[in-house]
Amino acid sequence: MAGKPPASAIGLGRGSGQPTPLPEARRPGVTTTLARRQSRTAWLMVAPLVLYLAALTLYPFGYMLVMSLFRYDLASWEPPSFLGLGNYQAAFADRTAAVSWRFTAVLAAAAVSIELLLGFLLAVLILDARGERWIRSALLVPMAVPPVVAGVAWKMLFNYQYGPVNWVLSLFGVSRVSWLGDPFWAGVGIIVADVWQWTPFVFLVLYAGLQSVPDELIEAARVDGASTGQLLWQVRLPLLRPLLWVVLILRLIDVVKLFDIIYMVTFGGPGSATHSISYYIYKVGLSYGWDVGYASALSLLLLAVVSLLVNLLIRGLRLRELLGF
């Protein structure tokens, strides 16, 4: 004889007032079992991809971490030998590494500042302007150019004898500049190329942010007699601050590990004047030297610096939110 269904599995019949049993799939015990099966199936389907991604990221990172503790120079044809923190000590005593860190810091400070300023000004000027769609599309072209192609183009533009940049300068009576031969101007050239390519990204993000400002706020400020400048600095800019911090973090991360533009435009020269730390790691580990251990130590130091920088900026953003400015 069949048992009586539990009270929790009984519903009220529509219109009759009599309790009717719930469908079997909706009973609490059956529902829990189905949920567990679905969760287990989902994990089984996702697990291969998770393991694959973990192998692609964790194994190289672990290998790099271990190799940074060894003397492992492929050019010496000797097996790895344990060195402890010797590679890290060498990194702090390496003068070329110090030059590379210094140039990376200058590049990040100059390029990111200019990109933020230009991107913001372009976003403000183009907002609600006539032909906005066409101007916006034209401004995004540099961002769509592959960095290697952009590097080749800027190398030709900076050519001392035949470069268009020096030709334009000559029209204003300025003598030719050795963009690729002078340490100072080579650094300026790298900054110019990076600003040209990535200002459109900053512009695009800030332009989208400006468009998302509620019209009610703008109309209310205008009714209160706010001028165009007051609308910009007291209404729009405060709402854009979180977005500016995000753009700042993204661009800093990108500039600190800049490699392709430097490789194509100046090849790190003249001398080591335009070595970014990423380019120097490439030289140590893959190009002029095959010192895998030392390159691994430099890479981990770069990772630590970028992580510290990003954490400081995120903490700064949270602090600003807490303080309300």
Side-chain angles (χ1 to χ4, degrees):
M1 181 177 179
K4 189 176 179 180
S8 59
I10 297 176
L12 293 177
R14 180 178 298 176
S16 63
Q18 298 296 324
T20 56
L22 291 172
E24 185 177 358
R26 296 178 56 188
R27 294 178 184 174
V30 176
T31 304
T32 305
T33 305
L34 285 174
R36 288 177 180 172
R37 287 179 181 174
Q38 290 175 352
S39 176
R40 191 181 305 122
T41 304
W43 274 108
L44 287 174
M45 295 180 69
V46 172
L49 184 59
V50 172
L51 292 174
Y52 177 70
L53 291 176
L56 282 181
T57 55
L58 295 180
Y59 175 74
F61 180 77
Y63 184 79
M64 182 174 65
L65 184 63
V66 172
M67 283 299 104
S68 69
L69 303 175
F70 281 78
R71 184 194 305 277
Y72 188 25
D73 190 349
L74 296 176
S76 67
W77 295 91
E78 294 179 356
S81 59
F82 185 72
L83 198 60
L85 298 177
N87 284 324
Y88 295 94
Q89 293 174 349
F92 286 102
D94 188 345
R95 295 184 62 182
T96 309
V99 171
S100 304
W101 283 112
R102 187 163 57 245
F103 178 71
T104 304
V106 171
L107 177 64
V112 175
S113 301
I114 297 172
E115 288 166 13
L116 286 176
L117 180 62
L118 288 181
F120 177 70
L121 291 176
L122 285 172
V124 171
L125 290 174
I126 292 173
L127 187 68
D128 298 330
R130 181 176 295 180
E132 175 185 348
R133 182 184 302 176
W134 297 103
I135 299 172
R136 185 179 60 207
S137 302
L139 285 175
L140 296 182
V141 170
M143 195 172 63
V145 177
V148 174
V149 178
V152 173
W154 277 105
K155 189 171 186 176
M156 296 171 67
L157 290 169
F158 285 142
N159 185 277
Y160 180 78
Q161 190 70 26
Y162 306 106
V165 175
N166 276 341
W167 177 76
V168 172
L169 291 177
S170 68
L171 297 179
F172 298 95
V174 179
S175 58
R176 291 176 181 171
V177 176
S178 180
W179 292 99
L180 306 179
D182 182 85
F184 174 76
W185 289 113
V188 173
I190 295 295
I191 293 172
V192 169
D194 190 78
V195 168
W196 172 81
Q197 183 153 45
W198 291 110
T199 295
F201 169 75
V202 179
F203 153 75
L204 185 64
V205 176
L206 298 183
Y207 177 78
L210 286 175
Q211 283 193 321
S212 67
V213 175
D215 293 335
E216 293 80 5
L217 286 178
I218 303 298
E219 292 300 326
R222 282 176 177 159
V223 169
D224 290 340
S227 62
T228 304
Q230 289 172 325
L231 277 176
L232 177 63
W233 295 108
Q234 298 180 11
V235 178
R236 286 184 167 129
L237 188 59
L239 294 174
L240 279 182
R241 278 175 183 164
L243 211 53
L244 281 168
W245 277 89
V246 173
V247 174
L248 173 65
I249 292 172
L250 292 176
R251 287 304 304 140
L252 274 179
I253 294 173
D254 201 32
V255 171
V256 167
K257 58 186 180 63
L258 184 66
F259 171 79
D260 35 27
I261 289 289
I262 293 174
Y263 182 85
M264 297 307 298
V265 177
T266 63
F267 209 64
S272 57
T274 56
H275 277 37
S276 68
I277 191 63
S278 296
Y279 183 80
Y280 184 54
I281 292 171
Y282 160 76
K283 281 185 65 175
V284 169
L286 297 172
S287 179
Y288 294 97
W290 292 347
D291 195 343
V292 177
Y294 187 44
S296 300
L298 287 173
S299 301
L300 287 173
L301 288 175
L302 175 61
L303 176 64
V305 169
V306 172
S307 302
L308 179 64
L309 196 60
V310 171
N311 279 322
L312 287 175
L313 289 172
I314 291 176
R315 286 176 184 273
L317 176 61
R318 290 175 179 169
L319 184 62
R320 294 177 67 89
E321 290 176 350
L322 288 175
L323 296 178
F325 67 91

